[in-house]
């Protein structure tokens, strides 16, 4: 828009900024780079967890998650600041639904074309899979009204310990109750 000529955006101006996708990814980079390191870390966590990944970037899609599920045990204030900054930058959408407040990536183009997000995912791929495994275990335990025990409890505790602050509050509660 800043490169418009007489209230019109020319093809040349659009090409100069890398098209809509180029402008969007530069905007996303600038929004992330403007954050302090702890807030930037939480922004990365949020963005990586809000994508349903495929084998390559072009197959990724948005995931809507409850904000409470994304809340770390230790750095809640940094997460709140990151979420607010990403919503203000229109990279995330925050909605109030019956189940609670949700977050979702605003543009599929970020998932499919923003190399920085794909790089973060590549580095965090194993942890993302483990978090999804814990979420499934937690859902099943709640569905069947069961606690974890024995070797299975030990396995889930080990996975949760390796993930640290990323473990969802419901999973932490399940582990606490299962130990008791």
């Amino acid at each position: 828009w800043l490169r418009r000529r007489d209230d019109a955006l020319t093809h040349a101006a659009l090409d100069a900024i890398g098209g809509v996708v180029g402008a969007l990814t530069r905007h996303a980079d600038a929004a992330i780079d403007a954050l302090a390191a702890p807030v930037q870390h939480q922004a990365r966590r949020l963005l990586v967890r809000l994508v349903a990944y495929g084998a390559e970037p072009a197959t990724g899609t948005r995931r809507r998650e409850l904000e409470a599920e994304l809340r770390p045990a230790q750095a809640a204030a940094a997460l709140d600041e990151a979420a607010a900054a990403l919503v203000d930058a229109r990279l995330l959408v925050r909605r109030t639904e019956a189940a609670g407040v949700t977050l979702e990536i605003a543009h599929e183009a970020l998932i499919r074309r923003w190399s920085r997000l794909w790089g973060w995912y590549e580095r965090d791929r194993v942890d993302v899979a483990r978090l999804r495994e814990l979420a499934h275990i937690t859902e099943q335990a709640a569905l069947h009204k069961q606690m974890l025990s024995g070797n299975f409890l030990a396995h889930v505790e080990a996975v949760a310990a390796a993930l640290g602050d990323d473990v969802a509050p419901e999973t932490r509660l399940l582990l606490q109750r299962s130990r008791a």
Side-chain angles (χ1 to χ4, degrees):
W1 185 246
L2 295 174
R3 295 174 184 244
R4 70 187 181 278
R5 187 178 310 145
D6 299 324
D7 289 336
L9 182 61
T10 65
H11 285 286
L14 193 58
D15 290 343
I17 62 170
V20 173
V21 172
L24 182 60
T25 58
R26 272 197 301 287
H27 172 69
D29 280 333
I32 294 296
D33 292 341
L35 302 174
V39 178
Q40 199 174 80
H41 174 74
Q42 292 303 316
R44 173 185 168 168
R45 277 184 71 251
L46 281 174
L47 290 164
V48 167
R49 302 232 349 241
L50 292 173
V51 178
Y53 292 93
E56 56 189 45
T59 59
T61 59
R62 296 181 290 181
R63 296 181 75 230
R64 186 177 299 163
E65 288 278 340
L66 287 169
E67 193 168 4
E69 293 284 323
L70 299 167
R71 185 162 303 285
Q74 302 299 317
L79 177 112
D80 292 340
E81 189 176 337
L86 294 173
V87 168
D88 288 346
R90 295 195 168 120
L91 299 175
L92 290 184
V93 176
R94 178 182 274 134
R95 290 187 177 94
T96 302
E97 300 179 3
V101 176
T102 62
L103 292 172
E104 174 179 27
I105 291 180
H107 308 281
E108 293 269 336
L110 287 171
I111 297 166
R112 297 180 178 173
R113 298 285 183 86
W114 190 24
S115 61
R116 189 176 197 176
L117 178 56
W118 184 255
W120 287 339
Y121 169 69
E122 284 294 310
R123 286 188 291 276
D124 296 346
R125 180 187 295 261
V126 171
D127 289 347
V128 168
R130 287 179 175 168
L131 288 167
R132 302 244 162 86
E133 174 191 4
L134 291 181
H136 178 72
I137 290 167
T138 303
E139 286 174 18
Q140 291 301 307
L143 180 66
H144 299 291
K145 296 179 177 28
Q146 294 179 330
M147 294 293 122
L148 309 178
S149 62
N151 289 339
F152 191 59
L153 173 59
H155 166 73
V156 174
E157 285 180 320
V159 171
L163 295 170
D165 208 29
D166 285 338
V167 176
E170 289 75 18
T171 302
R172 285 187 232 125
L173 184 58
L174 173 63
L175 288 171
Q176 183 182 34
R177 288 179 176 166
S178 293
R179 282 185 218 111

